Amino acid sequence: MAGHFEALPGGGAAVALDEVEISILRSLAVQLLELIGPGEEPAKGEDPLAALFTEGPSEPPADPALARLFPDAYGEPGSEDPDEELREHCAEFRRYTENDLRTRKRDDALAVVRSLDALTAAGEGGAVLKLTAQDSLHWLGALNDLRLTIGTRLEVADEDESGELYRLPDADPRKPMVMAYLWLGALQETLVETLMP
């Protein structure tokens, strides 16, 4: 089980983590929460259903990592000159969906933090994290968001999956982030395998 998720009987998944891994995962999830930003709490006395119809932003985020987490719905991201009608469709879609998407991503990252905080040490500085099927889905979403964010910061391109970034010398300041990116990918892959029938 060390280093990868394994399926639990009856659904869910488990992984053995040492103190350093727990600390790294928690730190990355907290940083993701900070990047996504705080949620909007309904004002006292406000109808909770009204929050469902609150309009969100209409422009894509300026931060490339946020733009990757909240991409335009239509067309190619970053296309040089999208036509006006396409731009209007993207703005309208974003206005009615981004708040919900942010809430879901925030919930996923919070689930990671909470499950790591609830771990009981298994001796020798480690613990076994056991997730329910629902928690596994939150973890899968958060691992994906973390990889997208780190990949954007590292400027990893889809076509460069086996490129020079993976052969960086140890002295390169990007090396720890590349190692985290690869490790999160392995965790994500094994978690997906546990969820497959």
Side-chain angles (χ1 to χ4, degrees), residues 5 37 40 57 59 74 94 97 122 140 142 148 153 167 196:
F5 280 97
E40 300 282 327
E59 293 297 318
Y74 309 106
R94 180 177 300 281
T97 61
L140 192 57
L148 287 173
R153 297 287 190 239
R167 295 184 294 274
M196 294 174 64

Side-chain angles (χ1 to χ4, degrees), residues 15 17-18 22 114-122 126-130:
V15 63
L17 300 169
D18 64 32
I22 293 168
R114 288 179 180 140
S115 58
L116 291 171
D117 286 350
L119 277 179
T120 306
V128 175
L129 174 69
K130 294 182 180 179

